[in-house]
Amino acid sequence: MSGAAIERPCDHDEPPLLEEAERLADRLPGHRVEVLGGQIVVTSPPDMRHALSLTALTVDFHAAQTEETWVVQGAGIRLPDGPYDYAIPDLAVVDADADGHAIESTYYDPAVFRLILEVTSANYAQDVRAKVAAYAIAKIPVYVIVDRKKQRLHVLTDPFANEYRNHRVYAPGERAELPESIGAKIELDVDGILKKAGRRG
């Protein structure tokens, strides 16, 4: 997926920014439209390997689908670092009562997100920089990045201010054990995930 930021002045009121984001979403079916750091970011539809890796990861996270937690794709999160910021993560583990915590329409309170996972594509900088800061500010406990460019898997934990205090990088051949705070014991086969995701930079 390719991502492009559309610059917007900071002094605009809410309606123009959000109306423009909604207009773009209507005009570009299948594209992901997000507002990060006060900028509209448009990401093209996922390529086949990206989609395949998400299907496989949903299976890997099956143990987190319980009475207390759900595994979801494409659920919007309202971000506190900007007055109108929101993101649409590839995959998330959320509290099972998340549906009752919508802040507005389909954007949900960050407090119900236990883990967010993004699979990189041509929007690389968004996933490894902008979203790291945004999700840390939102206090998302665990952020996992499937890094298709560098063929690594990143597990970030312990958010503080606009960064994560713990950042563990896993290479092919390793297994990434995720914190049980997400609601289940999950260990990811890094090599298997990266092979399904393919290389994209």
Side-chain angles (χ1 to χ4, degrees):
M1 298 192 302
S2 62
I6 299 172
E7 298 285 343
R8 291 285 176 258
C10 299
D11 59 352
H12 278 200
D13 293 330
E14 171 190 3
L17 181 67
L18 294 182
E19 284 173 11
E20 178 64 16
E22 289 173 6
R23 224 179 350 260
L24 284 168
D26 289 342
R27 287 178 41 208
L28 300 168
H31 288 68
R32 182 172 298 181
V33 178
E34 301 169 299
V35 179
L36 302 172
Q39 293 182 354
I40 297 174
V41 177
V42 179
T43 307
S44 61
D47 60 62
M48 196 59 70
R49 297 301 291 270
H50 184 285
L52 174 65
S53 65
L54 274 179
T55 300
L57 283 159
T58 302
V59 174
D60 291 340
F61 277 87
H62 177 72
Q65 186 72 31
T66 69
E67 291 183 4
E68 295 182 3
T69 55
W70 292 347
V71 179
V72 296
Q73 290 186 24
I77 176 173
R78 195 73 154 101
L79 297 169
D81 55 327
Y84 316 113
D85 286 19
Y86 67 89
I88 305 170
D90 286 328
L91 184 142
V93 177
V94 299
D95 293 342
D97 66 347
D99 199 37
H101 293 271
I103 292 178
E104 53 192 60
S105 64
T106 57
Y107 303 112
Y108 295 88
D109 189 329
V112 302
F113 287 77
R114 296 186 183 201
L115 172 145
I116 283 179
L117 181 145
E118 300 280 8
V119 178
T120 67
S121 286
N123 59 345
Y124 189 76
Q126 299 298 329
D127 292 332
V128 302
R129 290 190 196 93
K131 286 187 176 180
V132 169
Y135 293 154
I137 291 168
K139 295 183 174 32
I140 304 305
V142 182
Y143 179 32
V144 177
I145 306 168
V146 177
D147 186 339
R148 299 169 73 194
K149 181 177 183 179
K150 296 186 178 176
Q151 291 291 288
R152 296 287 186 261
L153 187 135
H154 303 258
V155 178
L156 294 86
T157 58
D158 194 14
F160 178 76
N162 64 345
E163 62 186 7
Y164 283 85
R165 289 178 171 147
N166 298 322
H167 182 175
R168 175 80 192 271
V169 182
Y170 294 89
E174 295 185 294
R175 296 187 72 81
E177 189 171 324
L178 301 180
E180 290 190 34
S181 61
I182 66 171
K185 185 173 182 176
I186 293 176
E187 196 175 88
L188 300 175
D189 172 12
V190 177
D191 192 51
I193 291 168
L194 293 171
K195 280 181 178 173
K196 285 184 179 70
R199 187 179 292 274
R200 177 77 184 264

